[in-house]
């Protein structure tokens, strides 16, 4: 249990650095960042929700799925209230998967 607490503390402390890796040009780095962030406490994710929402339009399907899964951990109402305009923009994306991810979040699949 102490190891998990320490891991959560470190993730909270360095979340901004890991979130920055979501912008890396290398898809494997973005995927790895989501894997690490998947272990972070929800409050650390909520602080950076805009970065996660932006990844709903990533060029890589696995990154989009990871973003959708991460958003599912958060309070749907809070995310929608704060990021509604970005998610509405995703509804007009040419990629079907991006539109689907935005509507899935909007239907409360994550709550």
């Amino acid at each position: 249990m102490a190891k998990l607490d320490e891991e959560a503390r470190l993730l909270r402390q360095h979340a901004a650095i890991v979130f920055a890796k979501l912008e890396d040009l290398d898809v494997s780095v973005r995927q790895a960042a989501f894997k690490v962030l998947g272990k972070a406490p929800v409050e650390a994710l909520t602080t950076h929700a805009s970065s996660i929402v932006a990844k709903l339009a990533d060029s890589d399907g696995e990154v989009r799925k990871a973003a959708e899964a991460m958003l599912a951990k958060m309070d749907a109402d809070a995310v929608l209230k704060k990021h509604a305009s970005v998610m509405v923009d995703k509804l007009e994306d040419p990629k079907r998967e991006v539109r689907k991810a935005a509507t899935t979040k909007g239907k409360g699949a994550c709550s």
Side-chain angles (χ1 to χ4, degrees):
M1 186 69 168
K3 182 181 177 185
L4 290 176
D5 290 341
E6 177 65 10
E7 191 173 86
R9 184 189 69 74
L10 287 170
L11 283 168
R12 252 188 245 100
Q13 183 178 355
H14 301 289
I17 295 167
V18 180
F19 270 101
K21 296 300 178 189
L22 293 178
E23 300 304 318
D24 198 279
L25 295 176
D26 185 338
V27 67
S28 63
V29 173
R30 296 192 308 275
Q31 291 171 347
F34 268 116
K35 187 173 182 177
V36 170
L37 291 169
K39 299 175 184 180
V42 174
E43 64 271 8
L45 301 177
T46 304
T47 305
H48 299 277
S50 60
S51 296
I52 300 168
V53 169
K55 291 296 132 190
L56 291 173
D58 195 88
S59 61
D60 180 70
E62 293 303 311
V63 171
R64 290 191 304 269
K65 286 179 191 174
E68 187 175 353
M70 194 154 293
L71 287 169
K73 291 180 161 186
M74 294 185 249
D75 176 31
D77 291 336
V79 172
L80 284 171
K81 283 178 187 172
K82 189 169 184 180
H83 304 287
S85 64
V86 174
M87 294 183 79
V88 167
D89 288 345
K90 303 295 180 217
L91 294 174
E92 297 177 3
D93 195 278
K95 294 183 189 118
R96 181 181 163 278
E97 299 84 7
V98 173
R99 294 189 308 270
K100 182 181 176 198
T103 58
T104 301
K105 181 63 184 165
K107 289 180 182 173
C110 63
S111 47

